[in-house]
Amino acid sequence: MTLLLAVFRMALEPRCAHRRIVYVVNRRLVVDQALELAMDIKARLEGALGEDSCLGRAARRLAALGGGVPLEVVRLRGGVPKPSPSLTDPARPAVILATVDMAGSRLLHRGYGVSRSFLPIEAALFGVDALFLLDEAHLETPFWHTLRQVMEATKGSLRPGLVAVALTATPQALQGQGRVFTLDQHDQDHPMLRKRLRASKRVQLIKVEEICPKPW
C-alpha cells in the first residue's frame, strides 16, 4: 500500500514528490514479493495510458516526467543480475526494491557490483530525490540512523533530498526518532474504518487429544 500511495503522490505533486521510491527490507523473499506488486502497478499504469480515468490521468502525468514511460521498476538483491547503472533515466519515476546492503552501499558510495566510475552516480540516485521506505525498521536500527543522518545532510537541495519513512509496528525501538503516524478521531469515525476496527474477533477453544505418549 505504501508503494501505491507514493507512486500516486508523485503523479499528484510532481514538483515536490520524490522521483524515486526505494523500498528496503532485509529479506530477499519480501523483496521478490514487493517486486510482483511494483510490476503490477507498472503494468496497470501502462495499460491505462489511453484511458479517460483517474488511473489514466495519473499514468499520463508520470509518463510526461519520464519520456513516455510511466514507471521504471528495479530489483536489487543478491543472487540476481544487477543493472548498471541502476536506473536508465534519473528523471523517470521509479520504484527500487532492495535489501539493506544493496541500497545502503550505493547510498554511501560503496555500491556492491558497481564499477568505480559509477559510484558517484549511484550515490546521487539514492541520496537525492529519493523516498526510502524501510520495512521492519526496528530490526535495522543502524541503517535507520544512517538514513536519518543522510536526510539531515540533504536538506535544502533544489530537488527534494532523501526522506526516510520507517515501516514498523514497534516504533519504540527507534528511540523516538521521527513522527509516528497514528489514527486520529476523524479516522476513528470513518464508517468503513470504524467497522473494521470494531469488528468482533471470535475464538473457539478446541481441546486436542494427546497424540504421542509422554516419555516418562
Side-chain angles (χ1 to χ4, degrees), residues 13-174:
E13 301 176 337
R15 292 186 178 180
C16 57
H18 294 83
R19 198 62 57 89
R20 286 172 289 284
I21 304 161
V22 188
Y23 173 83
V24 183
V25 60
N26 223 7
R27 302 288 185 276
R28 291 186 179 185
L29 181 60
V30 181
V31 169
D32 292 343
Q33 291 173 343
L35 175 67
E36 294 180 6
L37 173 62
M39 292 301 293
D40 182 58
I41 296 173
K42 172 181 170 67
R44 289 175 181 269
L45 287 169
E46 291 176 348
L49 279 171
E51 297 179 1
D52 185 17
S53 62
C54 178
L55 182 61
R57 290 189 291 272
R60 287 189 291 275
R61 283 193 174 191
L62 293 172
L65 300 174
V69 179
L71 190 67
E72 185 173 357
V73 176
V74 175
R75 174 178 60 176
L76 295 174
R77 72 163 179 83
V80 296
K82 295 180 286 295
S84 182
S86 296
L87 299 169
T88 57
D89 186 348
R92 179 173 297 162
V95 170
I96 304 168
L97 314 148
T99 51
V100 170
D101 54 342
M102 288 293 180
S105 63
R106 282 163 170 75
L107 180 64
L108 301 177
H109 293 255
R110 293 293 184 271
Y112 286 136
V114 179
S115 65
R116 187 177 183 85
S117 60
F118 272 116
L119 288 177
I121 297 175
E122 294 286 293
L125 290 172
F126 282 78
V128 179
D129 214 351
L131 171 64
F132 273 73
L133 304 175
L134 180 58
D135 204 354
E136 302 290 350
H138 57 282
L139 301 177
E140 304 297 339
T141 51
F143 187 53
W144 170 249
H145 296 323
T146 300
L147 289 175
R148 295 281 298 181
Q149 292 176 350
V150 176
M151 185 167 62
E152 289 296 322
T154 58
K155 284 183 177 179
S157 55
L158 294 178
R159 285 292 302 170
L162 183 147
V163 168
V165 177
L167 308 180
T168 175
T170 54
Q172 300 84 355
L174 304 181

